[in-house]
Amino acid sequence: QVQLVESGGGLVQAGGSLRLSCAASGRTFSRNAMGRKGRGWFRQAPGKEREFGAAINWNGDSTYYADSVKGRFTISRDNAKATVYLQMNSLKPEDTAVYYCARAAGGYYYTSPGAYDYWGQGTQVTVSS
């Protein structure tokens, strides 16, 4: 099994930046086997549905972003550390949400929550105006 732990959330003013991290660990045959999976970031605001934000393939050479965050957010990964990051710049109040890290069952980037088999506990991001 795999455990994902997000960190880096907090309170920032509009226009500010945050970097989220998500470290992976758990039962697997090797670090390489655990790391050869796609990763994604989703978010959920109060009273709203979970929303796709960004995804990255197993080795980090392909990424995909929702239109709402493209140009402002950057997803990256460090497989040696089993960690994925989300750099968030030019934050807006509309970005306020709980942000969740997820690991896919396959090695590509995916936008559907159903493609992901492990999820973190979430980290709160609040952007004030």
Side-chain angles (χ1 to χ4, degrees), residues 16-85:
S17 299
L18 284 174
R19 189 183 73 161
L20 306 183
S21 299
C22 178
S25 63
R27 188 175 69 184
T28 186
F29 294 106
S30 68
R31 174 187 287 182
N32 182 265
M34 185 177 70
R36 297 175 71 90
K37 303 291 184 180
R39 303 286 290 274
W41 286 97
F42 293 76
R43 64 187 186 183
Q44 187 166 20
K48 297 184 179 180
E49 298 180 352
R50 186 182 299 159
E51 176 186 32
F52 168 77
I56 189 167
N57 73 332
W58 73 272
N59 68 356
D61 62 2
S62 295
T63 59
Y64 187 82
Y65 299 92
D67 288 342
S68 59
V69 307
K70 189 175 183 179
R72 299 187 298 119
F73 292 8
T74 302
I75 187 172
S76 61
R77 66 188 297 165
D78 185 342
N79 284 354
K81 297 181 179 180
T83 301
V84 65
Y85 305 93

Side-chain angles (χ1 to χ4, degrees), residues 2-3 10 20-21 38-39 44 56 70 95-96 125 127 129:
V2 173
Q3 295 81 46
L20 306 183
S21 299
R39 303 286 290 274
Q44 187 166 20
I56 189 167
K70 189 175 183 179
D95 296 318
T96 296
V125 172
V127 184
S129 60

